Amino acid sequence: MVKETDIFIIGGGPSGLATAIAARQRGFDVVVADGARPPIDKACGEGLMPDAREALEKLGIVVPPEDSHPFRGIRFVSGNLSVDASFPTGAGIGVRRTALHRTMIARAEAAGIRLLWQTPVVGLHPEGVLLGRNIVRSGWVVGADGGHSLVRQWAGLDRYTRDRSRFAFRRHYRISPWDDCMELHWGPKCQIYVTPIAGDEICVALISRDPHLRLDAALAAFPELASRLRHAQAASVERGAISSTRELKRVYQEKIVLVGDASGAVDAITGEGLCLSFRQAEVLAECFAAGSLHGYQAAHRKLVRRPALMARLMLTLDWKASFRQRVMRAFDCDPRLFARMLAMHVGALSAVDCAANGLAVGWRMLNA
Ligand SMILES: Cc1cc2nc3c(=O)[nH]c(=O)nc-3n(C[C@H](O)[C@H](O)[C@H](O)COP(=O)(O)OP(=O)(O)OC[C@H]3O[C@@H](n4cnc5c(N)ncnc54)[C@H](O)[C@@H]3O)c2cc1C
């Protein structure tokens, strides 16, 4: 029975494990507890952009090629228009959540992190956390318990500056990927994204504002995609999730600190949630090493800024089909505009160039 540790992490999903590994790399004794049994699945687009892979590599994690599938860039499809661009450097990969979880666990175990599965944390204690009736004393407590975080409530951190939800459903299909890009299909008030995750499997995720809209019904509005999937065997059950856009006023309180979706989230359409968690984990571990959480709030806000802006920009395309088609035509006329938008998405474009690209898109829309 664990009695004491430097850092106790509540939640052994991607952000909890990333934080544990980053803290262990700095010499801390770390315990992670999760109520579920690994490998843990979750509805997700399962795409890791090149910046997410880089963040993982910093943690000493490389997803084995046999568990993933590369993609060179992103394609937007809307009506009869399709635009694509390659990432400025590197490739993205699609990886099943369970495979990513297994890889992260192997790294955490090798680093000497104590992992407690099927062990829900039931409350906080002034000296640490409560596992059933037992107290585990801990210098720091990390809430990495996802979007519905109880730690956030227990610590009184559930005060928001922004809080909106959309609804998502995901299913895997046994079919060879037909594209070397991750595809984002835009439809009436919903999007479907398609991520290649193996030589013979893809992940299909639907996001919309309608909690009742399921994949099969939504596919009717995407005839080309529906026809590709018509004879493909489903390789998993349809799994649902909430995609939140959430900004918290504060992400720590004394020695309790939040990371990953527990600390706020950007809409899933960005495909940046995991990368954000991995980067927050690094910053948080630096704060532990410095012995103070003071810098975490500002650093956290800075990390969220770009993905949050990208989510807002992308969701303007969800506003009106006619507006979206004008933007798509602008991209179609000058594909460099889309390539620059993708570069901006993965943080490879300066703020000035981003603003210039926005103006160029507007100019093209007026003239396309
Ligand atoms: C539809 C959809 C598509 C997405 N697509 C992408 C994508 O393509 N790429 C990308 O990078 N991101 C994507 N995201 C975002 C990404 O899934 C999340 O950002 C990521 O899962 C956050 O990880 P986390 O560890 O913070 O939370 P979670 O993965 O939710 O993990 C939280 C863990 O805490 C545990 N837990 C909860 N309460 C307790 C407790 N009391 N005690 C112990 N354990 C507890 C849970 O069992 C769980 O394992 C997507 C999200 C959605 C909804």
Side-chain angles (χ1 to χ4, degrees):
M1 177 67 208
V2 181
K3 290 218 163 72
E4 207 168 336
T5 183
D6 296 332
I7 300 170
F8 194 104
I9 300 182
I10 304 170
S15 65
L17 291 175
T19 307
I21 294 162
R24 189 78 194 109
Q25 283 173 332
R26 287 155 180 89
F28 290 97
D29 180 54
V30 186
V31 174
V32 178
D34 197 296
R37 199 172 60 181
I40 301 172
D41 201 1
K42 183 179 171 174
C44 181
E46 302 185 333
L48 291 178
M49 310 300 145
D51 50 343
R53 291 178 73 192
E54 199 181 302
L56 268 183
E57 274 165 29
K58 264 186 140 180
L59 297 167
I61 299 166
V62 178
V63 179
E66 61 273 20
D67 281 342
S68 62
H69 197 82
F71 53 87
R72 67 168 174 89
I74 303 286
R75 180 186 309 281
F76 277 13
V77 184
S78 180
N80 56 352
L81 292 172
S82 161
V83 289
D84 71 89
S86 298
F87 295 114
T89 51
I93 52 167
V95 52
R96 265 226 196 200
R97 275 299 281 242
T98 43
L100 176 66
H101 201 228
R102 263 196 300 268
T103 305
M104 293 190 77
I105 289 172
R107 172 75 182 103
E109 281 173 348
I113 294 158
R114 284 180 286 174
L115 301 171
L116 312 176
W117 302 111
Q118 296 179 283
T119 310
V121 172
V122 296
L124 299 176
H125 181 275
E127 292 180 56
V129 303
L130 293 171
L131 289 186
R133 269 185 268 151
N134 298 309
I135 299 164
V136 181
R137 294 186 167 73
S138 181
W140 309 99
V141 174
V142 179
D145 53 341
H148 306 291
S149 174
L150 284 176
V151 179
R152 193 167 63 216
Q153 274 180 42
W154 294 334
L157 290 168
D158 49 353
R159 290 187 301 130
Y160 311 115
T161 51
R162 185 168 293 142
D163 187 14
R164 251 177 287 125
S165 294
R166 298 203 299 151
F167 304 90
F169 289 94
R170 174 227 69 188
R171 189 191 281 148
H172 299 99
Y173 290 86
R174 192 86 63 211
I175 184 172
S176 298
W178 53 83
D179 198 344
D180 56 1
C181 286
M182 186 172 172
E183 293 183 349
L184 183 45
H185 295 255
W186 295 86
K189 297 282 166 208
C190 66
Q191 297 83 47
I192 294 185
Y193 53 113
V194 179
T195 314
I197 57 165
D200 61 352
E201 198 167 308
I202 59 167
C203 169
V204 177
L206 161 77
I207 319 178
S208 80
R209 294 183 204 281
D210 178 356
H212 305 294
L213 184 64
R214 306 293 290 261
L215 252 174
D216 288 337
L219 276 169
F222 301 85
E224 200 186 315
L225 184 56
S227 102
R228 285 188 190 278
L229 297 178
R230 189 154 300 129
H231 300 294
Q233 194 192 340
S236 65
V237 292
E238 191 172 0
R239 183 182 271 268
I242 303 276
S243 164
S244 302
T245 298
R246 186 176 282 145
E247 273 173 39
L248 269 62
K249 288 199 167 150
R250 284 185 63 79
V251 288
Y252 76 93
Q253 176 68 36
E254 295 178 9
K255 67 175 191 175
I256 301 150
V257 58
L258 304 175
V259 71
D261 281 7
S263 69
V266 291
D267 191 278
I269 200 163
T270 60
E272 281 285 302
L274 291 165
C275 184
L276 194 54
S277 304
F278 303 150
R279 290 193 166 144
Q280 288 164 356
E282 286 285 351
V283 166
L284 182 52
E286 276 301 309
C287 291
F288 291 144
S292 162
L293 294 176
H294 275 326
Y296 185 58
Q297 182 77 51
H300 186 280
R301 199 162 284 151
K302 194 166 165 207
L303 284 177
V304 172
R305 204 170 291 146
R306 180 178 49 82
L309 171 68
M310 288 314 299
R312 276 202 292 277
L313 287 177
M314 289 171 82
L315 285 175
T316 58
L317 302 185
D318 188 39
W319 172 53
K320 246 184 177 182
S322 56
F323 174 76
R324 182 169 61 247
Q325 289 312 88
R326 289 180 72 181
V327 176
M328 287 290 289
R329 272 196 294 278
F331 287 148
D332 193 41
C333 287
D334 185 352
R336 286 170 309 173
L337 297 175
F338 188 68
R340 278 193 223 120
M341 199 188 92
L342 182 57
M344 180 172 156
H345 192 91
V346 294
L349 211 63
S350 71
V352 174
D353 289 340
C354 292
N357 198 51
L359 289 175
V361 173
W363 175 253
R364 269 284 170 197
M365 282 170 69
L366 290 174
N367 295 287

